[in-house]
Amino acid sequence: MSCTLRVRWILIANRFPRPWRSCSRCGTQRAFECSGKFRLNANGRRLDAWLVYKCTTCDDTWNHTLFERRSTRDIDPDLLSGLEANDPALISRFAFDVAALRWVAHRVEEFAGGVARREVLGERPDRPKRLEIFLRLPSPVSIRLDRLLSMELGLPRARIATIAKKDQLQTTTRLNRLAVNGTRVGIELSQECGETILLNATRDPIVHCARESELAVD
Ligand SMILES: [Zn+2]
């Protein structure tokens, strides 16, 4: 049996990105917060759709255009019902579309997040000697890799750096860069803090994914 324990961490941002725009009421650049609601306007067979944002200072609204004057026949029925129901998953999809927000905002503020779910991939060795962590970010999360590892593994950042220097920790993204989807981290568990790392890397919420189809790590 392999002595490597493989886990996947799924990271979720703790809040939606905030576009900064000029607020007409405040007369200056302000952060706008997603309201969690769509606005639709039907004009004959044409439909406009927006995601509504609010100025964090004065509550003035700004409508982020999703599409304009689109024929209702060309709109996917699932999309339409999601828009009408303010479906949270759909709100999330548009609210995390940082690339689209960048087109219409002075800048976009992204937020840190944490591990929402941990999954053991395949067999769990009795005494693992090595841990491999695969990061999955379904939506953008703005957190440096060393900060994430420090927070999640319960070790100071300096300790993480020391382990990396000794080549007992390898990463596909540099430690001082933002964690990205697909980042891989390998850690030797033979060192003195190996037990702490192991306990924290696999603490709740954790699930076991034994089926082949779930083993895809990216
Ligand atoms: Zn304002």
Side-chain angles (χ1 to χ4, degrees):
M1 181 191 266
S2 162
C3 289
T4 300
L5 173 65
R6 299 162 76 219
V7 295
R8 176 165 46 206
W9 286 355
I10 297 168
L11 271 72
I12 304 285
N14 46 20
R15 59 195 291 187
F16 292 136
R18 298 199 306 188
W20 279 71
R21 294 177 46 91
S22 175
C23 171
S24 51
R25 197 186 287 172
C26 293
T28 186
Q29 294 280 338
R30 294 287 191 215
F32 280 73
E33 198 97 56
C34 175
S35 71
K37 293 208 162 42
F38 293 114
R39 194 183 146 210
L40 299 173
N41 179 45
N43 204 329
R45 287 200 182 144
R46 304 260 163 195
L47 193 72
D48 305 317
W50 301 274
L51 181 56
V52 181
Y53 281 79
K54 286 192 171 179
C55 169
T56 50
T57 304
C58 74
D59 250 13
D60 201 19
T61 54
W62 163 61
N63 294 330
H64 174 35
T65 306
L66 306 178
F67 55 79
E68 279 178 316
R69 304 194 57 72
R70 190 178 290 179
S71 163
T72 44
R73 277 174 308 183
D74 297 338
I75 303 172
D76 182 306
D78 287 344
L79 173 63
L80 189 58
S81 58
L83 289 167
E84 286 168 342
N86 291 312
D87 173 44
L90 196 60
I91 296 274
S92 200
R93 197 179 103 199
F94 287 115
F96 277 116
D97 189 349
V98 175
L101 285 169
R102 286 215 175 99
W103 279 101
V104 289
H106 176 66
R107 69 186 174 91
V108 178
E109 196 179 354
E110 291 175 75
F111 296 95
V115 176
R117 178 180 155 111
R118 299 172 186 82
E119 298 171 348
V120 171
L121 304 171
E123 296 237 347
R124 183 176 185 145
D126 289 339
R127 290 168 190 269
K129 293 202 168 91
R130 183 178 163 79
L131 172 72
E132 284 180 1
I133 303 166
F134 303 88
L135 298 186
R136 191 158 167 255
L137 283 67
S139 54
V141 174
S142 184
I143 187 165
R144 267 173 57 146
L145 185 58
D146 56 355
R147 222 182 120 222
L148 173 74
L149 292 175
S150 161
M151 206 166 74
E152 292 295 330
L153 298 177
L155 297 174
R157 263 200 279 177
R159 185 89 184 104
I160 302 273
T162 309
I163 301 171
K165 246 184 217 155
K166 287 192 209 158
D167 208 25
Q168 291 172 332
L169 183 148
Q170 306 86 30
T171 57
T172 54
T173 301
R174 284 169 63 172
L175 280 170
N176 60 357
R177 296 289 167 87
L178 293 183
V180 293
N181 190 37
T183 294
R184 295 174 183 221
V185 179
I187 310 175
E188 304 307 326
L189 295 170
S190 49
Q191 51 188 294
E192 56 183 84
C193 51
E195 197 133 322
T196 308
I197 292 175
L198 189 61
L199 276 175
N200 282 313
T202 55
R203 69 181 191 269
D204 283 341
I206 186 140
V207 291
H208 192 196
C209 296
R211 279 184 291 143
E212 274 307 306
S213 60
E214 290 176 301
L215 292 179
V217 287
D218 292 329

